[in-house]
Amino acid sequence: MSIYKFLKHPDGRINNLLKKILQLHPDEINLSLDRIKNLLKKLNNPQNKLPHSIHVAGTNGKGSVATSLYYLQKLNGKKVHVYRSPHLFILNERIIISNKIISNNILYHALKHVYKINNNSVITFFEFFTASAFYIFSNFNADLLICEVGLGGHYDATNILNDKKKSCIITPICYDHKEFLGNNIKNIAKEKSGILKKKNILICSNQKNSALNIIKKISEKNNCRAFFYGKDWIVKNKELLFENKKINLSNISLEGDHQFINISCAIMACYKVKQLKIEKKNIPYYISQIKWEGRLEKLNGFFKKKYPDTDCWVDCAHNPQGFDILKKWILRKKINSIYLIVSLGIKKDYTSILRKIRKINPDYLLLIRKNNFSSRPIKDISVQASILNIKFKVFDTISDSIRFVSSLKNSSYQKKVCLITGSINLVGEALALDKNTKY
């Protein structure tokens, strides 16, 4: 329950209901889908009434692929349901009904109904919310559902979608959530490949060989129609190449070279899943319209006005591989003076992340004390940062840290750059502050 104990909602009705739902959380979590299956049965199995689903698993890039696919389909005139996690600002972001974020009223009445039907049975919050989302989707028409796995795959609450009405995407697999998935890439790949069912279509992104071999084995076992990066499709010089086709990706609106592979996963799905068909001529415009908050996004609101000498960016990197991507981005942008503003979750591999930060070699690592989510104690991070000879300071707020950076003299002609990262909670707070010019 720890990761949800700070969960709040601005609507008092929903907030009070969330408190009750969190009380249902089991003392110990056994790896099983029995709890959500029992609840869905009481709800007359809404998962079987949903349109064709695109089930997205992986470690990094799930959100980017899901968002890209959502925009490709929405702009192509389709009505799309989306289920995703976590959220930046408000719980409603996790559920998109026919191209619109769920309203407080619909969310409240759905949660209230499911809570009543559940009848105080023990269940995790994610299982309860997933069942609620599927119940909601079943009451609205749409052409397809894009569904992100929460954690892992095989035992994830989303893995009860109708086997015969879904296709799958697996994004790059690496280490994260070691307390649940372990330290072995092969085992992690096996868990995430658990979403694959008989004769599903699979679009598989770039993978380490150890993960790729496991995915191929499970795909073949399930007689999946699979398309693998490097074998069936590739990205080269900002172009997606597959079969005899060449699609220019240079118009993409998202920052970072890694997004070329993410958008290509979504485009490949559009070509290989008949329910997603789009015309090639429309792709350059569609990919220029994608908006994905908190992913290598420049802040152009309050902080830009307050500190014009400092560029502020945010990114939701929260594992070692995410920080590898940040390093590549910093090098490509030729940023000479970088300040990392960071807060890390309690369960994150902070020692590995700090080793990645040392390679980035920031002018300062600015640590933010957080008390509104389960964060790694500052003392743990600062001790390890000292061991690694990373120059750091500790602040109570994001604003304090940026004010400090702005006060420093700049030795180069470039603007100073602050990159706020390490947790989705911290990025959400920074975005909220930047939008509120009165703060």
Side-chain angles (χ1 to χ4, degrees), residues 249-255 286-292:
L249 306 174
S250 58
N251 223 25
I252 189 171
S253 59
L254 303 177
E255 275 278 338
Y286 290 171
I287 66 176
S288 73
Q289 299 301 302
I290 299 169
K291 294 179 176 63
W292 186 213

Side-chain angles (χ1 to χ4, degrees), residues 337-395:
S337 183
I338 186 83
Y339 298 82
L340 296 186
I341 300 173
V342 170
S343 179
L344 300 173
I346 185 66
K347 295 184 180 296
K348 295 302 174 184
D349 183 1
Y350 73 101
T351 54
S352 293
I353 289 174
L354 284 169
R355 284 194 287 270
K356 300 295 184 181
I357 288 175
R358 182 176 63 177
K359 291 181 180 179
I360 292 173
N361 192 28
D363 292 53
Y364 268 104
L365 170 62
L366 308 175
L367 302 172
I368 307 298
R369 293 189 183 93
K370 296 287 291 178
N371 55 16
N372 65 339
F373 92 118
S374 299
S375 60
R376 170 66 57 181
I378 289 293
K379 184 178 179 181
D380 292 351
I381 302 175
S382 59
V383 166
Q384 190 65 26
S386 295
I387 292 171
L388 294 171
N389 293 317
I390 300 171
K391 198 174 179 182
F392 72 92
K393 281 185 174 292
V394 178
F395 293 91

Side-chain angles (χ1 to χ4, degrees), residues 12-26:
R13 301 171 303 165
I14 296 174
N15 200 52
N16 289 333
L17 195 48
L18 290 176
K19 292 177 183 177
K20 293 180 180 179
I21 295 167
L22 289 170
Q23 293 299 316
L24 303 173
H25 202 283

Side-chain angles (χ1 to χ4, degrees), residues 54 94 119 172 175 179 183 243 261 284 312 344 402-403:
I54 308 299
R94 298 182 179 216
N119 195 27
Y175 297 110
E179 71 279 10
N183 289 316
E243 298 168 357
I261 292 182
C312 295
L344 300 173
I402 297 175
R403 190 178 301 117

Side-chain angles (χ1 to χ4, degrees), residues 280-333:
K280 180 181 176 181
K281 66 180 182 180
N282 295 326
I283 292 175
Y285 171 72
Y286 290 171
I287 66 176
S288 73
Q289 299 301 302
I290 299 169
K291 294 179 176 63
W292 186 213
E293 282 195 293
R295 277 69 181 179
L296 281 175
E297 178 182 358
K298 191 175 183 181
L299 302 183
N300 290 310
F302 168 75
F303 289 118
K304 183 176 181 179
K305 293 175 183 176
K306 183 78 172 177
Y307 306 108
D309 64 330
T310 304
D311 283 341
C312 295
W313 292 74
V314 292
D315 187 76
C316 288
H318 57 274
N319 56 37
Q321 291 70 30
F323 279 83
D324 276 337
I325 289 170
L326 291 184
K327 182 187 175 186
K328 291 176 184 176
W329 177 78
I330 290 165
L331 290 172
R332 185 175 65 79
K333 295 287 264 187

